[in-house]
Amino acid sequence: MIFTVAIDGPAAAGKGTIGRAVAARFGFAHLDTGLLYRAVAAMGGDPVAAARRLSAADLARDDLRSLAAGQAASRVAVIPEVRAALVAFQRRFARAEGGAVLDGRDIGTVICPEAEVKLYVTASAEVRAQRRWLEVGGDAAAVLAEVMERDARDMGRADAPLRAAADAVILDTSDLSIETAVAQAMAAVEKALPQR
Ligand code: DC
């Protein structure tokens, strides 16, 4: 079965948690596409050359999770040649036999507009910054500023900006428990699955 769940949304909205839960429940493969951009930025040197030679081993680096790595990823992600170099891998993953969940910024709009399920997971900047701060600590105001700066760059870029696909189910997790958000995502997938 070819079946793609595209999950887009801003940083710290809950995409990863929802994506992992959906993949585990339905036995689909899961790709956190932010890791591709994080790895490209972390490799250093020319980001276009890095994107073209990216391999699975680069995604296993242990320095990709920090706030700084996220900011650096957001900066290389505005470069059209970087994005172009990463398209084929993501499309293959999305349409591989067995079902796939991809989370990112442009999955439902650019990478896989034919996805069977599109979710746009969002939350207020304040709620997302609070979640990030609980993970990383430090200065809360600086974490909020970082979240807002990344939103502005990811939504404002010319190539594949972050936005909800017209046919996406919007999940605003500002006031939802993670259990409720996951349950709503599961229900959207159940509805779209071929009858078994
Ligand atoms: O989801 P994340 O925080 O790991 O993403 C890091 C950055 O990578 C994000 O700020 C923008 C970029 N990105 C992107 O442009 N397109 C994607 N599909 C995923 C991430």
Side-chain angles (χ1 to χ4, degrees), residues 9-15 18 121-123 128 131 171 173:
K15 302 185 299 291
I18 292 173
V121 182
T122 188
R128 289 184 288 117
R131 289 178 190 156
L171 268 180
T173 67

Side-chain angles (χ1 to χ4, degrees), residues 20-39:
R20 279 188 297 276
V22 167
R25 163 76 180 75
F26 297 99
F28 297 161
H30 175 233
L31 180 64
D32 167 2
T33 65
L35 274 185
L36 305 179
Y37 296 90
R38 287 170 182 257

Side-chain angles (χ1 to χ4, degrees), residues 77-111:
V78 305
I79 304 169
E81 292 83 0
V82 166
R83 307 199 69 82
L86 302 176
V87 166
F89 172 76
Q90 294 176 83
R91 285 208 175 128
R92 258 198 319 276
F93 192 99
R95 299 316 263 170
E97 182 56 42
V101 180
L102 289 84
D103 67 76
R105 303 291 186 289
D106 62 341
I107 309 304
T109 51
V110 174
I111 299 298

